[in-house]
């Protein structure tokens, strides 16, 4: 006969280890070469988003560090920006981002109920300049009119940022840009996010942990307009300072930058049956 503590333990470990159906998988196989990101591949778009004339192999790195929570057989990938990271004439930005290969903008990754997972770590050799605003992970609507959810750090434009060395999960930027969750951006450790997005009920729930700790819900499923489909971006989008008008074109970007963020465990799972992986 089971004692109730044993039964509870068994149920919670089952929940933590459950496997949900995958929608996309951007986890990088450990035998990957950087040149594989320059041609069509299973993981990420080889065409977007990067500076004009660049190849992904020039800006991605495969740092020799231990993988993130969900990288059991896969490895982290770093996205870096330089002075050459000017995409599509956007001189007010420096940016490079990975977009999942299957995420066309009108695909099922932005329909139903999905949880997008990713882990972020600083690179001590390539620090960000926290006088600037950075977007590190975001969903941009198919008509490019908004970001329905975005993880930012640094000094956020239009916000009185108390401590720029913070990761902030912000809801739809055209519908109030509500801060859903924020946490210190510590050095030398992965920050693991799960964003449960209900594209029917228009809600977002944030799951979070650091290091190898299983994810925990840090918010309820709160109202957030995630309609409009679009594409998930994982990388570094650095905005200029003191930009007037169209900030894609205006704002100060100091030269000679060498900045990066390390990503691990990028994938999305189907949460239509309430399945959210808290651990691999
Ligand atoms: C950080 O950015 C600000 C604003 O562009 C600039 O004045 C400052 O020189 C930068 N710091 C470094 C270390 O590049």
């Amino acid at each position: 006969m089971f004692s109730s503590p044993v039964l509870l333990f068994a149920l919670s470990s089952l929940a933590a280890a459950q496997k949900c159906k995958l929608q996309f998988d951007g986890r990088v196989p450990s035998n990957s070469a950087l040149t594989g990101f320059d041609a069509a591949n299973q993981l990420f778009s080889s065409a977007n988003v990067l500076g004009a004339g660049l190849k992904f192999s020039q800006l991605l790195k495969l740092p020799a560090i231990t993988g993130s929570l969900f990288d059991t057989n896969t490895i982290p990938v770093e996205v870096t920006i330089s002075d050459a990271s000017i995409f599509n004439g956007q001189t007010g930005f420096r940016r490079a981002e990975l977009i999942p290969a299957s995420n066309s903008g009108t695909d099922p990754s932005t329909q139903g109920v999905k949880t997008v997972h990713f882990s972020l770590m600083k690179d001590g050799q390539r620090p960000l300049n926290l006088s600037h605003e950075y977007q590190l992970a975001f969903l941009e609507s198919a008509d490019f009119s908004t970001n329905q959810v975005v993880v930012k750090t640094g000094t956020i434009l239009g916000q009185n940022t108390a401590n720029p060395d913070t990761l902030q999960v912000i809801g739809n930027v055209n519908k109030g840009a509500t801060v859903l969750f924020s946490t210190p951006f510590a050095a030398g450790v992965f920050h693991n996010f799960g964003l449960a997005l209900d594209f029917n009920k228009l809600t977002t729930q944030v799951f979070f942990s650091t290091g190898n700790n299983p994810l925990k819900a840090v918010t309820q499923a709160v109202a957030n307009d995630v309609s409009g489909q679009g594409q998930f971006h994982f990388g570094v989008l650095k905005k200029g300072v003191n930009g007037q008008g169209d900030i894609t074109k205006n704002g100060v970007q100091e030269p000679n930058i060498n900045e990066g963020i390390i990503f691990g465990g990028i994938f999305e799972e189907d949460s239509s049956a309430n399945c959210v992986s808290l651990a691999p």
Side-chain angles (χ1 to χ4, degrees):
M1 177 177 159
F2 293 110
S3 69
S4 58
V6 170
L7 183 60
L8 279 174
F9 177 77
L11 284 173
S12 60
S13 18
L14 185 68
Q18 67 189 323
K19 293 272 188 286
C20 318
K21 191 179 150 224
L22 287 174
Q23 173 60 38
F24 61 67
D25 198 347
R27 284 172 288 194
V28 177
S30 52
N31 61 355
S32 299
L34 284 176
T35 48
F37 293 92
D38 293 337
N41 65 82
Q42 300 283 314
L43 302 178
F44 297 108
S45 166
S46 57
N48 292 302
V49 174
L50 72 177
L54 296 182
K55 294 176 179 178
F56 273 106
S57 59
Q58 296 172 297
L59 63 101
L60 298 178
K61 304 205 173 291
L62 299 173
I65 59 169
T66 306
S68 69
L69 175 64
F70 285 100
D71 280 311
T72 43
N73 294 308
T74 47
I75 57 172
V77 58
E78 178 171 2
V79 180
T80 71
I81 55 168
S82 69
D83 299 349
S85 301
I86 299 174
F87 167 72
N88 203 20
Q90 296 177 347
T91 49
F93 292 165
R94 299 290 179 271
R95 64 186 292 195
E97 297 122 41
L98 295 167
I99 297 175
S102 62
N103 184 196
S104 64
T106 56
D107 67 291
S109 68
T110 50
Q111 294 174 327
V113 189
K114 300 282 165 28
T115 301
V116 62
H117 289 259
F118 51 94
S119 300
L120 301 169
M121 197 196 294
K122 291 182 178 181
D123 177 353
Q125 304 302 308
R126 295 182 185 80
L128 306 186
N129 179 339
L130 299 179
S131 301
H132 289 251
E133 173 182 324
Y134 293 83
Q135 298 196 175
L136 304 181
F138 54 100
L139 174 60
E140 180 172 39
S141 63
D143 67 2
F144 307 109
S145 67
T146 194
N147 293 170
Q148 299 100 316
V149 64
V150 46
V151 178
K152 299 188 181 195
T153 192
T155 303
I156 297 175
L157 301 171
Q159 188 199 71
N160 187 8
T161 307
N163 178 358
D165 204 3
T166 303
L167 291 165
Q168 303 200 45
V169 182
I170 294 173
N172 194 314
V173 296
N174 283 355
K175 303 267 172 89
T178 307
V179 178
L180 305 177
F181 174 69
S182 64
T183 189
F185 196 3
V189 65
F190 272 111
H191 298 67
N192 312 308
F193 290 89
L195 304 178
L197 307 171
D198 190 325
F199 297 102
N200 300 321
K201 292 184 182 155
L202 305 183
T203 62
T204 297
Q205 182 171 21
V206 182
F207 294 80
F208 178 74
S209 71
T210 57
N212 275 327
N213 298 307
L215 295 174
K216 280 187 190 160
V218 290
T219 72
Q220 300 293 311
V222 296
N224 180 41
D225 186 356
V226 290
S227 67
Q229 295 215 274
Q231 290 175 305
F232 293 94
H233 296 238
F234 305 92
V236 183
L237 189 166
K238 181 184 191 182
K239 297 182 181 175
V241 294
N242 299 323
Q244 305 296 320
D246 179 1
I247 63 162
T248 69
K249 302 257 198 270
N250 302 310
V252 175
Q253 291 279 1
E254 72 281 358
N256 303 318
I257 62 166
N258 178 23
E259 305 179 4
I261 289 288
I262 303 167
F263 285 83
I266 297 173
F267 66 101
E268 187 185 66
E269 61 196 1
D270 187 338
S271 298
S272 56
N274 283 325
C275 188
V276 176
S277 297
L278 303 178

